[in-house]
Amino acid sequence: MKLIMLGAPGAGKGTQAKIISEKLNIPTISTGAAIRGEIEKGSEIGLKVNDIIKSGNLVSDEIVLELIEARLKEPDCANGFILDGFPRTINQADGLSKLGYKIDKVLNIDLADEIIIDRLSGRRECSKCHAIFHVTSNPPKVEGICDTCGAELSIRPDDKKEVIVNRLNVFHEVTEPLKAYYEEKGILVSVTGCGKVEDTTKAVFEALGV
């Protein structure tokens, strides 16, 4: 299966993508993680996008397509893949289509903005292994310390409340039109992301027919 995850930041795309990846044995390709990796390495692309990410705005289509094209050529993508966080614009969707990959399904996860703001502003990430916690729904055993590796937890720059609001505004303006774009192609399926993770997963599997 060649699948695109669509939804606002914090809607649960990454969580569900990981579950689908394990079930179908296909890789999840997260542009957000790939971009953060480039920033950590201090690469040329990383330096370019660092300020953009901190402000909550979108990285240029040209840079994102360059990262995606290279990743999809890797051997583990031969039997399918999950795109999480790409495409984010109609232009990116057109660019993906021109690369020659036929997408089977686009899974849209709907979630109210107020729930997303609460979810993301309480998120904490390990500075070393990048494990994710939440101050209320998934707190670490020791406050501020990663359960997995013992490193310090931090708030990602793009999880600050004012940045979250900006990210949501950008999503509604720039990315949400992709729902109509893929619905017209007949490959869009939608689920509601509130409730327990396993409830969302059940709805996701039903929507995908897996």
Side-chain angles (χ1 to χ4, degrees):
M1 178 178 285
K2 296 178 178 67
L3 175 67
I4 290 172
M5 304 295 291
L6 185 61
K13 300 187 301 297
T15 298
Q16 295 303 322
K18 182 178 180 182
I19 295 169
I20 298 166
S21 173
E22 291 172 354
K23 183 175 179 65
L24 301 183
N25 194 29
I26 55 177
T28 297
I29 300 169
S30 168
T31 52
I35 290 169
R36 285 193 294 274
E38 294 299 321
I39 291 173
E40 288 172 5
K41 287 189 292 185
S43 69
E44 184 177 347
I45 293 178
L47 292 172
K48 284 181 184 178
V49 302
N50 193 25
D51 289 341
I52 301 173
I53 292 295
K54 284 183 178 179
S55 68
N57 291 313
L58 295 177
V59 177
S60 76
D61 293 344
E62 183 181 11
I63 292 174
V64 174
L65 278 166
E66 183 182 337
L67 286 167
I68 290 296
E69 183 175 15
R71 182 65 183 87
L72 293 181
K73 289 179 180 178
E74 295 292 327
D76 63 339
C77 293
N79 295 320
F81 51 78
I82 302 165
L83 290 174
D84 175 17
F86 176 89
R88 288 186 176 176
T89 65
I90 298 293
N91 189 49
Q92 287 181 3
D94 286 338
L96 177 63
S97 179
K98 289 174 183 176
L99 292 179
Y101 293 95
K102 183 180 181 298
I103 301 301
D104 297 304
K105 294 284 185 183
V106 176
L107 176 66
N108 173 59
I109 301 180
D110 284 318
L111 194 61
D113 284 4
E114 57 267 28
I115 297 175
I116 288 173
I117 292 170
D118 177 69
R119 180 181 287 182
L120 290 186
S121 60
R123 186 165 62 178
R124 300 293 182 269
E125 182 178 42
C126 176
S127 57
K128 186 176 180 181
C129 73
H130 301 293
I132 299 294
F133 299 87
H134 191 277
V135 293
T136 55
S137 63
N138 182 34
K141 294 174 183 176
V142 178
E143 185 177 352
I145 300 298
C146 177
D147 292 351
T148 305
C149 70
E152 185 178 355
L153 301 180
S154 62
I155 301 174
R156 284 186 357 203
D158 53 347
D159 280 346
K160 294 178 180 177
K161 188 171 181 178
E162 63 274 17
V163 178
I164 296 168
V165 171
N166 185 45
R167 292 171 69 197
L168 287 171
N169 289 338
V170 170
F171 169 78
H172 291 307
E173 181 181 347
V174 178
T175 305
E176 205 161 31
L178 284 171
K179 290 200 290 187
Y181 177 95
Y182 284 116
E183 188 171 28
E184 189 176 328
K185 294 180 182 296
I187 57 175
L188 180 76
V189 292
S190 293
V191 300
T192 300
C194 55
K196 296 180 180 179
V197 170
E198 52 266 33
D199 293 335
T200 303
T201 300
K202 182 180 178 182
V204 163
F205 284 173
E206 289 175 356
L208 296 178
V210 300

